[in-house]
Amino acid sequence: MTRSAVHRTGPTGAGPLFVLVASVLWGTTGTAATFAPAVGPLAIGAVAMGLGGLLQALAAAPRIARETSALRAQRGVVGLGALAVGAYPLAFYSSMHLAGVAAGTVVSIGSAPLASAVIERVVDGRRLTRRWTVGATAGLSGTALLCAAEATAAHSGPGAHSAGSTVLGVGLGLVAGFTYALYSWAAHRLISRGLTSGAAMGAVFGLGGLLLVPVLLATGAPLLASWTNTAVGAYMALVPMFLGYVLFGWGLAHVPASTATTLSLLEPAVAAVLAVLVVGERLPLLGWAGIALVVGCLAVLTVPTRSAPKPGATVPGPGDGAGADAARSERAPVL
């Protein structure tokens, strides 16, 4: 059954808010990992995304069962998204380990909006509007300033990284950014084709979590070496990854993947602030200027725009599901 409806932009439907809350949760992972320094990046990534993905699949099992036929019809998209989910945490946490938390986070998260825009342009033919361009430019400029400020502070101390490890870390950060954009696009594509966000995210992240189980078994012994390490692993899986990606899936039901990945530029800003408040790091003035630009980016992308409904348009009622919201999003241009 089809019906015409207007696409809700801005914070209407709480889509951007869900993504922003998820980004805040993701921004805590770097600080949380400092409490388990003996746990390697592969183990951290595998326990966070692996267990978090399996928990998503378990929580969404009834919806996945009801929508199995629809998922089978989109098995190519599901498989592509699952591969990206499996690769992302390994690249992301290794990037931070090799290049430093600042550079790794900024390259990984900062490159994702551009990768999302390219994927949506090439695959979906989606045009990029002036609003998205202005917001993305401000956000990327802010993350670059933040990275420069933190990298300068880091390289002036004893924990400096070699040029070779930095280059490799940046390369892995680009891989992380691309895979993040890819599984965000895959989830949005599934939702836009009628699946609920729970079934789409549960299937993609559940399969991705299964791919990470061998990595966890091979590298995860330090997670059981102390209660602190175990608590850090449990927190990473339950809060930033499980709860965070549930919220992210709800957000993808209302906004395109390129907008969602741009909103997630809040993550490195939150990580920097927590490093100052909790870990005791110092952030130069240039870094605070970068955070201000990121906040400006979020303001540009989340301020609502009002548009009059077209003749015959139907305003969605309380019974409309996530698939209907996403279908409207798929037809609309990027914010």
Side-chain angles (χ1 to χ4, degrees):
M1 181 175 66
T2 61
R3 57 178 154 178
S4 59
V6 292
H7 171 58
R8 296 183 291 182
T9 58
T12 305
L17 178 61
F18 290 143
V19 176
L20 292 177
V21 174
S23 300
V24 171
L25 297 179
W26 298 336
T28 67
T29 58
T31 297
T34 63
F35 292 96
V39 182
L42 296 182
I44 286 288
V47 71
M49 211 76 152
L51 291 187
L54 293 175
L55 286 172
Q56 282 203 57
L58 182 63
R63 291 186 178 183
I64 293 174
R66 287 196 300 266
E67 301 175 43
T68 299
S69 60
L71 287 168
R72 285 176 178 168
Q74 301 294 327
R75 56 185 175 273
V77 177
V78 173
L80 188 63
L83 289 173
V85 167
Y88 168 75
L90 306 181
F92 177 54
Y93 289 100
S94 295
S95 173
M96 289 194 294
H97 178 72
L98 292 169
V101 174
T105 302
V106 169
V107 172
S108 300
I109 306 303
S111 61
L114 300 180
S116 289
V118 171
I119 292 171
E120 289 184 348
R121 181 63 178 172
V122 172
V123 179
D124 301 329
R126 185 183 298 277
R127 65 183 179 86
L128 302 179
T129 66
R130 184 179 303 174
R131 184 181 187 185
W132 182 89
T133 303
V134 170
T137 300
L140 292 172
S141 299
T143 52
L145 288 179
L146 183 59
C147 178
E150 291 193 341
T152 300
H155 287 298
S156 63
H161 297 267
S162 68
S165 67
T166 299
V167 170
L168 179 57
V170 169
L172 287 172
L174 293 174
V175 173
F178 175 74
T179 51
Y180 172 33
L182 189 59
Y183 69 67
S184 300
W185 171 84
H188 178 75
R189 169 62 69 92
L190 294 172
I191 296 169
S192 72
R193 293 188 171 180
L195 282 96
T196 61
S197 62
M201 297 293 285
V204 169
F205 279 77
L207 289 174
L210 286 176
L211 295 176
L212 288 167
V213 168
V215 179
L216 180 59
L217 294 176
T219 63
L223 288 164
L224 303 177
S226 71
W227 285 109
T228 300
N229 291 355
T230 302
V232 168
Y235 171 80
M236 300 278 273
L238 290 171
V239 181
M241 298 306 156
F242 173 63
L243 179 58
Y245 277 102
V246 168
L247 293 170
F248 189 66
W250 292 348
L252 284 174
H254 298 269
V255 297
S258 55
T259 300
T261 52
T262 305
L263 291 172
S264 66
L265 291 174
L266 180 62
E267 177 183 346
V270 170
V273 172
L274 287 177
V276 172
L277 298 179
V278 179
V279 183
E281 295 183 1
R282 299 186 63 182
L283 186 64
L285 182 60
L286 191 65
W288 292 109
I291 290 177
L293 278 175
V294 170
V295 172
C297 155
L298 305 180
V300 169
L301 292 178
T302 57
V303 170
T305 56
R306 298 182 179 273
S307 57
K310 295 180 180 180
T314 301
V315 178
D320 283 353
D325 286 324
R328 292 189 286 275
S329 173
E330 184 71 15
R331 294 192 295 270
V334 176
L335 287 176

